[in-house]
Amino acid sequence: MHPLQCVLRAQRCLRRGPLASVSWLLLRTCRAHSSVPSSACPSPERQQEDGVWKDFSSRLATGPTFQDFLRSASVPPEQPSSSEVEDPPPYLTVDELLGRQRRVYLETYGCQMNVNDTEIAWSILQKSGYLRTSNLQEADVILLVTCSIRGKAEQTIWNRLHQLKSLKSKRLRSRVPLRIGILGCMAERLKEEILNREKMVDILAGPDAYRDLPRLLAVAESGQQAANVLLSLDETYADVMPVQTSPSATSAFVSIMRGCDNMCSYCIVPFTRGRERSRPVASILEEVRKLSEQGLKEVTLLGQNVNSFRDNSEVQFNNAVSTNLSRGFSTNYKAKQGGLRFAHLLDQVSRIDPEMRIRFTSPHPKDFPDEVLQLIHERDNICKQIHLPAQSGSSRVLEAMRRGYSREAYVELIQHIRESIPGVSLSSDFIAGFCGETEEDHLQTVSLLREVRYNIGFLFAYSMRQTRAYHRLKDDIPEEVKLRRLEELITVFREEATKANKSFVGCTQLVLVEGPSKRSATDLCGRNDGNLKVIFADVEMEDATDSGLRVRAQPGDYVLVKITSASSQTLKGHVLCKTTLKDSTAYC
Ligand code: SAM
Ligand code: SF4
């Protein structure tokens, strides 16, 4: 029998009904094929549990059918708690699906979406009876939540896997075997390559397959490699409440949509995270309400393309109103219609708790209609901070990147935003050395950085991925040129950001306190409305919310800080008093 005992190419994921995705689900067994190295098979100590193994083996031999796999993908939306597991696939028992107090160690790489995904994965495993540990040595299961955006991100994971290999091989026989899993974008992108290259990897779960983790881990218990990399058209984990891992945290990420339809020519995200889909407004509001009740003071609405949010779950809102794009912007996909849009969501979320700051990331410049800008301007608790990823300052490169705008349209949008939201803080992403980028193109990016003067910037050297650019363009900029250009962009960004941030000196900023500064035990750190880090001495101050009492700032407090100095990344100042968000605003 072929080692890939079951490779299913399913046109339709039956998970949630007829709307479905093209992808695949894979269960791999090692004993079925003699050429599979023994390292992939159960170790001798595992065979002590041979009763289980043989039983599993014989059940596997009489084996799951095609229908069984489809049924196993059809997990009901409400993940059952351990005592509620009713209908395991025929090749597993209810008991095997339970975590049985196995300890899970989760490690997160990459963007904030992955931080949120880690919490979702953990929420699902916790319900299945797993325990969490922050001690690697104590773990029975190690799960890496991975990123594929650039080659370097993937290399980090390969290196980490080599370290974990020795942990696995040195595992004491008296303990249950250590299981290792790759979750997220890299699992989605590299699928079989990971299973083949790293025999010590037991499970793979793509970004839309976290509900399947208990089943995958149950299969792995018997020494099998198991994978689910199905992408879905409608999975938003709307009903999975992420577990806030740090109880003292002042802020949280709330995922509002997944996937991306933009297909920028350099970007792997649409391939690893699938089609764009939005979470129903009601479930987002419920999560934000709960976070507010827990005392959190800031939520960041999260997605690859947040401002193209469109909740189509309520049929009555599916009117024929089509998308209102920013002037001079176009999309790579057919115009979408109807649904509840981002302005509606932002409005509703910001009404929940006037003391809760609202941010969002990452938006795309094309989706900034006036009602969104107006709302940001009007509402005290929506931060006056917009991330506006430009990627390049050259219209020619922007076209090759398929960004859907020219430099001129982007600059016009910046001007419009600055007029609509005075004092707005701007941040951006840039890529240096994209295919065909000339020195002249590069200088145009330099000049855009000077012209806009961003407060915060994320700059990257182009990393070839298997995307449209890989197939149609040439990665023709030598690595040293990419790095030299990146250095130049960073230098210019820093010079300009320093100038922009110096304009805060002498001003009073409303700061949400996060906790002690990493650099000095006598300082505290927090963030202003524009998301800049603000450092100030931890001293007694007046509590303006409690008739002038003298207090020390605590995480989650709002304080007014008079800014005395600024760099490209940080503001410094002295604290004036404790206050509330609605009773005070920043001033100069
Ligand atoms: N959706 C967001 C947008 O359109 O701006 C960005 C999300 S992406 C995860 C974050 C950033 O990674 C991008 O804005 C881009 O600057 C960078 N990026 C994406 N693909 C890249 C690549 N192949 N090489 C270098 N940087 C890349
Ligand atoms: Fe990638 Fe473009 Fe989508 Fe952003 S908008 S995630 S850069 S494809």
Side-chain angles (χ1 to χ4, degrees):
M1 194 190 289
H2 192 275
L4 299 180
Q5 192 192 36
C6 265
V7 178
L8 302 178
R9 287 192 183 275
Q11 282 293 320
R12 290 197 162 178
C13 162
L14 299 184
R15 176 174 300 188
R16 302 292 191 83
L19 272 185
S21 68
V22 181
S23 191
W24 54 281
L25 174 84
L26 177 154
L27 170 70
R28 179 175 167 141
T29 174
C30 63
R31 285 212 165 175
H33 196 274
S34 55
S35 69
V36 175
S38 58
S39 62
C41 295
S43 56
E45 70 273 18
R46 281 296 299 148
Q47 296 183 23
Q48 285 174 1
E49 295 173 45
D50 234 27
V52 176
W53 164 247
K54 278 196 191 118
D55 183 37
F56 183 90
S57 238
S58 62
R59 272 179 286 144
L60 206 59
T62 49
T65 64
F66 183 83
Q67 285 310 320
D68 293 331
F69 277 94
L70 293 182
R71 203 176 321 140
S72 73
S74 165
V75 180
E78 188 65 56
Q79 180 75 16
S81 71
S82 51
S83 58
E84 291 167 344
V85 178
E86 277 167 10
D87 193 15
Y91 50 92
L92 290 172
T93 64
V94 171
D95 192 46
E96 282 164 345
L97 272 187
L98 301 180
R100 287 171 282 178
Q101 315 267 305
R102 298 270 202 272
R103 290 179 188 278
V104 184
Y105 179 89
L106 285 142
E107 206 164 85
T108 313
Y109 295 83
C111 65
Q112 289 138 343
M113 282 299 285
N114 276 4
V115 176
N116 194 256
D117 277 14
T118 305
E119 289 168 7
I120 287 171
W122 169 234
S123 177
I124 288 163
L125 288 172
Q126 191 180 35
K127 276 193 174 179
S128 263
Y130 285 87
L131 301 176
R132 182 137 186 202
T133 177
S134 53
N135 178 352
L136 190 67
Q137 302 302 327
E138 177 177 289
D140 303 310
V141 178
I142 297 174
L143 300 177
L144 308 184
V145 184
T146 62
C147 171
S148 276
I149 196 89
R150 284 168 286 276
K152 209 169 147 196
E154 288 187 351
Q155 193 49 52
T156 310
I157 303 293
W158 289 120
N159 297 344
R160 184 66 172 140
L161 280 176
H162 286 302
Q163 293 167 358
L164 296 179
K165 195 185 260 178
S166 76
L167 204 65
K168 191 166 180 171
S169 57
K170 285 186 200 143
R171 181 87 166 177
L172 292 177
R173 289 177 176 213
S174 53
R175 297 180 66 187
V176 292
L178 178 63
R179 301 294 172 209
I180 293 177
I182 300 288
L183 273 49
C185 291
M186 208 169 145
E188 193 64 51
R189 194 178 96 73
L190 296 174
K191 305 178 180 97
E192 277 172 275
E193 191 185 330
I194 297 178
L195 294 182
N196 289 331
R197 245 173 90 170
E198 292 298 346
K199 299 285 185 280
M200 40 83 82
V201 171
D202 301 285
I203 71 156
L204 287 186
D208 290 344
Y210 302 143
R211 286 178 199 274
D212 205 17
L213 282 170
R215 185 185 70 86
L216 296 172
L217 283 168
V219 172
E221 274 292 293
S222 299
Q224 315 297 303
Q225 286 182 305
N228 183 346
V229 287
L230 276 162
L231 284 175
S232 162
L233 279 185
D234 54 2
E235 177 62 276
T236 58
Y237 299 107
D239 56 317
V240 180
M241 191 67 172
V243 182
Q244 293 304 318
T245 41
S246 161
S248 63
T250 55
S251 55
F253 296 113
V254 173
S255 167
I256 65 164
M257 47 103 67
R258 297 179 75 84
C260 180
D261 284 350
N262 283 331
M263 289 284 179
C264 302
S265 63
Y266 51 83
C267 184
I268 197 75
V269 168
F271 304 95
T272 56
R273 290 194 159 261
R275 299 299 301 271
E276 183 178 305
R277 64 222 105 114
S278 297
R279 181 177 167 186
V281 169
S283 86
I284 298 170
L285 297 182
E286 193 193 326
E287 186 175 338
V288 175
R289 256 182 234 114
K290 283 193 180 144
L291 293 170
S292 159
E293 282 160 19
Q294 286 169 22
L296 271 82
K297 291 293 176 56
E298 181 178 276
V299 294
T300 303
L301 306 178
L302 207 57
Q304 294 300 343
N305 207 356
V306 272
N307 50 344
S308 77
F309 179 89
R310 178 187 304 274
D311 170 16
N312 283 316
S313 63
E314 303 282 340
V315 160
Q316 69 264 36
F317 297 113
N318 285 335
N319 52 41
V321 180
S322 62
T323 307
N324 193 0
L325 290 179
S326 313
R327 199 140 49 104
F329 287 72
S330 63
T331 59
N332 290 327
Y333 50 80
K334 226 171 95 207
K336 298 177 185 179
Q337 294 191 330
L340 293 170
R341 304 303 318 274
F342 187 61
H344 172 86
L345 177 71
L346 206 50
D347 172 39
Q348 295 292 304
V349 168
S350 65
R351 286 175 192 275
I352 289 176
D353 179 352
E355 287 300 307
M356 186 181 241
R357 273 182 173 171
I358 312 298
R359 301 187 192 277
F360 54 89
T361 195
S362 199
H364 188 287
K366 69 181 161 50
D367 290 302
F368 274 106
D370 282 346
E371 56 266 39
V372 170
L373 300 179
Q374 182 95 22
L375 209 54
I376 299 173
H377 174 54
E378 278 171 8
R379 292 282 155 84
D380 287 340
N381 64 338
I382 303 180
C383 292
K384 277 74 196 135
Q385 173 228 342
I386 294 186
H387 185 57
L388 214 59
Q391 314 298 358
S392 171
S394 152
S395 295
R396 208 183 64 81
V397 173
L398 287 169
E399 198 179 336
M401 288 177 161
R402 301 182 90 225
R403 287 291 289 177
Y405 53 86
S406 62
R407 177 196 174 107
E408 292 67 34
Y410 180 87
V411 169
E412 198 180 311
L413 176 64
I414 293 271
Q415 280 160 359
H416 182 52
I417 289 176
R418 283 197 159 133
E419 280 157 19
S420 309
I421 312 169
V424 65
S425 162
L426 293 174
S427 58
S428 192
D429 295 347
F430 284 93
I431 297 177
F434 185 60
C435 309
E437 184 189 75
T438 62
E439 220 42 48
E440 171 53 28
D441 294 320
H442 168 62
L443 290 175
Q444 289 196 32
T445 303
V446 170
S447 88
L448 186 66
L449 282 167
R450 294 236 185 258
E451 186 172 345
V452 177
R453 191 173 282 177
Y454 299 96
N455 300 83
I456 299 173
F458 303 91
L459 301 100
F460 313 99
Y462 175 57
S463 166
M464 176 64 101
R465 315 271 68 212
Q466 281 181 318
T467 60
R468 191 182 171 97
Y470 172 84
H471 295 291
R472 305 197 181 192
L473 304 172
K474 211 165 156 216
D475 183 17
D476 53 359
I477 310 300
E479 205 52 32
E480 65 275 14
V481 176
K482 283 182 188 170
L483 293 178
R484 192 255 301 154
R485 288 181 187 170
L486 178 63
E487 276 305 311
E488 286 172 13
L489 296 185
I490 291 173
T491 306
V492 173
F493 159 72
R494 286 202 179 133
E495 283 170 16
E496 295 302 319
T498 307
K499 289 180 202 159
N501 296 343
K502 282 213 187 295
S503 68
F504 287 111
V505 176
C507 299
T508 299
Q509 292 288 290
L510 181 67
V511 174
L512 176 59
V513 180
E514 288 176 353
S517 156
K518 284 192 187 120
R519 298 225 172 132
S520 152
T522 56
D523 288 341
L524 289 173
C525 112
R527 291 196 181 256
N528 74 351
D529 186 272
N531 214 18
L532 275 169
K533 194 179 271 189
V534 182
I535 311 281
F536 55 95
D538 179 9
V539 291
E540 269 197 351
M541 61 181 170
E542 180 195 337
D543 182 353
T545 67
D546 195 359
S547 54
L549 221 71
R550 304 292 296 173
V551 290
R552 280 274 188 43
Q554 302 298 322
D557 286 347
Y558 286 105
V559 294
L560 285 174
V561 176
K562 178 119 179 166
I563 304 302
T564 51
S565 68
S567 70
S568 65
Q569 301 194 18
T570 318
L571 305 178
K572 284 189 178 164
H574 58 259
V575 67
L576 299 178
C577 65
K578 177 175 167 179
T579 181
T580 61
L581 193 158
K582 62 180 186 323
D583 289 339
S584 66
T585 43
Y587 56 88
C588 280

